[in-house]
Amino acid sequence: MANHGHWGVDLDVKELSLAIETENGLVLIVGCSHPTIETIVRTATEATGRSVDTIIGGLHLLPADDREIRRVAEALRDEWRVRHIAPGHCTGEHALAVIRDVFGAGFIEAGLGSSIMR
């Protein structure tokens, strides 16, 4: 039975994500985060024993309401200790603004052709 959560995320969709080990922690490259970004972060953390420093890619927050967007952004920053985030296409314009506000200097503006160097 599919469980789509209270805001419509596709928990039953399988996705590939790439976790790259760096001296600062994992750099997590995600596609569209249909299983939820928090599930992907938890899975990468459990599989590697390392924390996620940076997330790059789509966060699939288009269907989420304001409260859920802020909750996810704050959970990534405060609970998961993600320091940098470069949200992609399916995050949604409104969610990008909320994430930019929550992450401050840790927000990375990125898109097609961007190079991310820290």
Side-chain angles (χ1 to χ4, degrees):
M1 174 160 73
N3 178 359
H4 293 287
H6 66 278
W7 55 276
V9 356
D10 308 316
L11 296 176
D12 55 334
V13 173
K14 303 287 188 225
E15 282 193 13
L16 293 176
S17 299
L18 176 63
I20 302 168
E21 290 191 27
T22 73
E23 62 188 37
N24 296 322
L26 297 176
V27 172
L28 189 57
I29 301 174
V30 299
C32 198
S33 302
H34 287 117
T36 77
I37 189 60
E38 291 170 287
T39 298
I40 295 169
V41 168
R42 180 179 61 249
T43 301
T45 300
E46 289 173 356
T48 65
R50 309 251 346 251
S51 63
V52 174
D53 178 76
T54 304
I55 296 171
I56 301 169
L59 304 185
H60 198 62
L61 293 173
L62 278 170
D65 62 24
D66 288 354
R67 197 172 103 212
E68 181 66 5
I69 293 166
R70 186 160 295 277
R71 185 201 68 73
V72 169
E74 290 175 352
L76 291 172
R77 182 195 65 198
D78 300 338
E79 294 172 35
W80 293 103
R81 303 287 186 226
V82 174
R83 295 183 329 136
H84 304 96
I85 192 163
H89 68 289
C90 64
T91 303
E93 292 298 320
H94 177 68
L96 287 172
V98 172
I99 295 166
R100 183 182 289 114
D101 179 58
V102 169
F103 273 83
F107 182 89
I108 302 167
E109 193 77 44
L112 181 63
S114 296
S115 293
I116 299 173
M117 305 292 287
R118 292 185 295 105

